[in-house]
């Protein structure tokens, strides 16, 4: 390839485009933001996670996620409960109203995922998945290896 893709630019543009479009649809479909939807999906797969676990899975700061969960508690989507074995630990649980929302929104997300991957054959889809996983798991360590240029006088 003569000119490799400009990863930072393309990832930023792709993220902004998909986030804008998905946010618009999840708001219309279920009055949910994308981060709220992410919390609900994660809890539907494994209920009773901690804020720390959810924040890590969603690549969010715990402080940002705590406020988001406060709003979700107010809407009756989730509840907080102290851990039975360690009272210092608070777990987040899905409420019935949110389970119904997840059942409505997950098929939409799966359909969109299919549409986005449709132009690519199975081998290309596997490469896309590997690349994005690599990026998510290794970006910090790769970038941390690069020394900043010295300031010029």
């Amino acid at each position: 390839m003569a000119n490799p893709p400009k990863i930072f630019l393309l990832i930023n543009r792709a993220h902004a485009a998909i986030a804008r479009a998905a946010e618009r649809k999840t708001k219309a479909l279920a009055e949910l933001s994308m981060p709220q939807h992410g919390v609900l999906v994660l809890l539907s797969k494994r209920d009773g996670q901690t804020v720390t676990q959810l924040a890590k899975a969603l690549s969010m700061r715990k402080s940002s996620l705590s406020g988001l969960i406060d709003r979700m508690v107010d809407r009756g989507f989730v509840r907080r409960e102290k851990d039975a074995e360690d009272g210092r630990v608070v777990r987040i649980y899905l409420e019935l109203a949110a389970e119904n929302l997840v059942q409505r929104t997950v098929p939409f997300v799966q359909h969109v995922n299919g549409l986005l991957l449709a132009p690519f054959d199975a081998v290309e889809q596997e490469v896309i998945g590997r690349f994005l996983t690599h990026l998510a798991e290794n970006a910090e360590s790769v970038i941390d290896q690069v020394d900043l240029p010295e300031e010029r006088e």
Side-chain angles (χ1 to χ4, degrees), residues 10-20:
L10 293 173
I11 292 291
N12 188 50
R13 288 181 60 206
H15 177 265
I18 199 168
R20 251 190 336 268

Side-chain angles (χ1 to χ4, degrees), residues 8-47:
F8 284 96
L9 174 64
L10 293 173
I11 292 291
N12 188 50
R13 288 181 60 206
H15 177 265
I18 199 168
R20 251 190 336 268
E23 183 92 13
R24 191 172 54 247
K25 288 290 188 175
T26 57
K27 284 276 188 194
L29 185 63
E31 277 298 310
L32 291 172
S33 68
M34 284 307 296
Q36 288 173 327
H37 185 260
V39 168
L40 297 182
V41 170
L42 288 170
L43 292 174
S44 73
K45 291 180 180 180
R46 197 175 98 231
D47 211 8

Side-chain angles (χ1 to χ4, degrees), residues 18 111-120:
I18 199 168
H111 180 67
V112 170
N113 192 64
L115 292 173
L116 290 170
L117 289 170
F120 305 99

